[in-house]
Amino acid sequence: MTVAYQYVCVSCAAPQAWGALCYRCPLCGHNLRIENMREKGDDAPSSGAEIVAGFRGTGMWRYAPLLPVSACWASRLAVGGTPLLTLGDDEGVHLWIKDDSRNPSGSLKDRATELVLAAAKWFGCSRVVAASTGNAGASLACIAASQQMPATVVVPRHTPYVKLAQIRAYGAQLHVIDGNYDDAFDLATGMADAPEVCCRNTGFNPFTREGKKTCAFEIAEALDWDVPDWVVVPTGDGNILSGIAAGFLALYAWGIATRVPRLLAAQASSSHSIAHDWLVSEASGALPAVPTPMVPNTVADSLSVARPRDHLAALQALRMTRGACAIVTDAQIMASSQLMSHRHGLWFEPSAAAGHAALSDSISSGRIARGARVVLLGTGSGLKDPHAYERVACDTPEITQPRDTVPSSIFPGDTPDARVRGRP
Ligand SMILES: *Cc1c(COP(=O)(O)O)cnc(C)c1O
Ligand SMILES: [Zn+2]
């Protein structure tokens, strides 16, 4: 099967020829989309079954027939293929969680990095650079190491310690700058001026979105192509949001799925540019081309962006999926983090827990109906930011001295004399 691709501007729709690594529209400067020309064809539904029959193996490269870069790239780390865990009836909805913390570097970012590096090699790049709030950098360092590709990562101050440790452990060059993610973003873009340097900046590199599509493919296939009613997407730059939408829309275009799930973007209250602009656009009918800037200050560091870098594509994703946004506070996020760990044995970093907080909020407001089938994205592991937990678990655990008597309270919830009373 020969599939033809082209770059298309997300804003003015100007096409750009395939064959080189392109980042921005030369006419208006907006991000690019990668368009599969056959998806638009009338023959699409009849070839859906043929595409599914071509899915081979495990992990994200299983979906190579729907990706713009060939899988002949020698991937060494198993990216994707993460479990869709059934949490059963929870909070009145039928709930699953896509546990993407099980990726090689512990976050969903690995899907984007894997595809970006495949494209980088394809287009002849030998080095790679990225700005990051932490996870994209850890992911780049990890997967670049597996390909012996030199990598440089630029992060803002106050990046969680473990994410910095990951970047260094994998051997990437780390630049911590006295500024925010925006400053890091611009610096990294400048570092990738030479043609042999690939820039992995989220949204700016169109292959980041393409890699994240595979998460939607896996969710759909795990449910036998019967897609859920809602997918809840923790949202900062908006690239996971636009990637998940692109994935489900591709399945729909090929006739592989008969519906598209609605997407709920979960944003932190100090960093809710996309939610803000979505409300404005619902009132005015037009999507704002420039994001409303925020001054982020949230425990959800992966959602902490002043100007979302995939803003327009994220708003388009909400429009195409009849989506919605929910804004959550740090207190709601940490309550959800604790609930997920206690009730389900799933410890996610605050940014991922924001999705659960957004779900609770949307159930109480009636936006998500009881009985709905809902998938949460577990975008990153709790091990990546253990200090966030100190904000909820402020009590230092009691240190017991070894002695003859067993403490009277052994299990959580025991009253001090429960054990004594429980004895015959
Ligand atoms: C990057 C990230 C997000 C947000 O993704 P965007 O594409 O920036 O919207 C959410 N959760 C985690 C754990 C992340 O690393
Ligand atoms: Zn343009």
Side-chain angles (χ1 to χ4, degrees), residues 7 20-23 69 73 112-131 140 144 149-154 185 187-202 204-208:
Y7 298 104
L21 181 51
C22 296
Y23 300 104
V69 186
W73 182 63
T113 307
E114 176 89 349
L115 198 77
V116 164
L117 291 194
K121 288 209 163 181
W122 184 263
F123 290 124
C125 301
S126 56
R127 284 174 286 155
V128 60
V129 50
L140 182 68
M149 199 188 266
T152 290
V153 177
V154 188
F185 199 98
L187 183 57
T189 312
M191 286 172 162
D193 232 4
E196 73 273 14
V197 183
C198 167
C199 182
R200 187 228 173 269
N201 281 7
T202 293
F204 177 72
N205 185 316
F207 289 91
T208 53

Side-chain angles (χ1 to χ4, degrees), residues 217-279:
F217 299 156
E218 288 177 11
I219 291 170
E221 187 169 21
L223 297 173
D224 250 338
W225 309 113
D226 182 14
V227 300
D229 299 311
W230 288 90
V231 177
V232 186
V233 186
T235 299
D237 276 324
N239 190 247
I240 300 182
L241 189 67
S242 64
I244 294 288
F248 283 115
L249 288 165
L251 294 178
Y252 181 75
W254 288 110
I256 298 169
T258 54
R259 297 185 300 131
V260 173
R262 301 180 72 180
L263 301 188
L264 177 70
Q267 291 220 281
S269 55
S270 62
S271 179
H272 69 283
S273 185
I274 289 171
H276 175 273
D277 293 347
W278 174 244
L279 285 182

Side-chain angles (χ1 to χ4, degrees), residues 289-330:
V290 181
T292 303
M294 297 278 152
V295 182
N297 173 25
T298 168
V299 65
D301 61 285
S302 305
L303 308 184
S304 181
V305 306
R307 291 185 291 142
R309 298 299 182 146
D310 212 12
H311 176 256
L312 189 55
L315 294 176
Q316 290 167 345
L318 290 170
R319 181 171 273 182
M320 298 287 283
T321 63
R322 297 187 304 121
C325 297
I327 300 166
V328 292
T329 63
D330 280 7

